[in-house]
Amino acid sequence: MNALPPVPQTVPQLYRQLVLQGRDEATLRRVAVAATEVVHRTAGLFRGSLKPFSAHLIGVAALVAEAGESDELVVAALLHASYQDRVRGGESLIAAQARIVAVHGVAVESLVAAYQTVEAGAELSDAMDPRGRAVAILHLCDEIEDGLDLGGWLHGHPEDAGDERGSAGFRLARLASYANWVASPRFDQ
């Protein structure tokens, strides 16, 4: 039986993966800036499995990179939780958005904002939105990373209601919906 290769959970492991993929030095610098930010902003935060929250964010970025996605999406994957209250700390949402634009660029901020909009319950964007496929892939990688150690599946999401909260069946259905959306004919051109 073939096992999945280990998904990077630390910054050095992510750098190694990106180097082996042939990503350039500019990309490594962009990832270093985002990874440093993520590690500092999530210090003391843990997943339901007690895995450090930064390890989850790094794992999502590693899965996005493994899927061959753009450097912007890899950086956005590291930052995908940046607008959550617990990650922002005392910083306002407007200040967090401005910081991400200033440090990481408009393209990355747009992806993080679109991710958070869907996370808050909005429908995935249609194919006419250039961010749609990228955001769906980011959500798919987030769900996959959650399932690797059952961290997200143990504690569920705040929007999950009643008996479905944290249930494996609910999470698998959500994962399948993202996968189906990414594979839908709307992106076949």
Side-chain angles (χ1 to χ4, degrees):
M1 175 176 173
N2 292 335
L4 287 172
V7 174
Q9 301 286 290
T10 66
V11 175
Q13 291 169 345
L14 178 59
Y15 290 159
R16 184 174 191 281
Q17 174 189 3
L18 296 172
V19 167
L20 290 173
Q21 288 179 342
R23 306 268 180 152
D24 64 14
E25 188 175 325
T27 297
L28 294 175
R29 277 193 299 255
R30 290 180 75 189
V31 167
V33 169
T36 300
E37 180 179 328
V38 160
V39 168
H40 287 286
R41 288 191 169 273
T42 63
L45 298 179
F46 296 90
R47 305 290 288 166
S49 64
L50 300 181
K51 175 170 77 174
F53 193 52
S54 61
H56 165 70
L57 300 173
I58 291 163
V60 174
L63 289 168
V64 167
E66 187 64 28
E69 295 300 319
S70 71
D71 298 341
E72 286 77 20
L73 192 57
V74 173
V75 173
L78 279 166
L79 300 169
H80 77 269
S82 293
Y83 296 157
Q84 293 178 5
D85 291 341
R86 65 185 177 149
V87 176
R88 286 193 343 257
E91 184 181 42
S92 74
L93 178 58
I94 292 170
Q97 290 168 325
R99 177 181 41 77
I100 288 179
V101 167
V103 175
H104 305 286
V106 173
V108 169
E109 193 286 326
S110 176
L111 290 166
V112 172
Y115 173 87
Q116 286 299 313
T117 299
V118 173
E119 188 70 8
E123 291 295 317
L124 288 168
S125 304
D126 65 26
M128 300 309 288
D129 183 339
R131 301 171 302 176
R133 180 180 178 280
V135 171
I137 287 172
L138 180 50
H139 272 279
L140 181 60
C141 291
D142 182 57
E143 290 292 331
I144 292 168
E145 210 290 326
D146 275 348
L148 290 176
D149 67 356
L150 300 178
W153 294 16
L154 290 171
H155 68 77
H157 281 191
E159 71 276 7
D160 299 346
D163 292 337
E164 68 186 14
R165 182 175 172 81
S167 79
F170 177 74
R171 298 302 294 248
L172 287 171
R174 181 184 239 172
L175 179 62
S177 73
Y178 291 135
N180 288 338
W181 194 85
V182 170
S184 71
R186 71 182 92 196
F187 294 115
D188 295 340
Q189 296 178 6

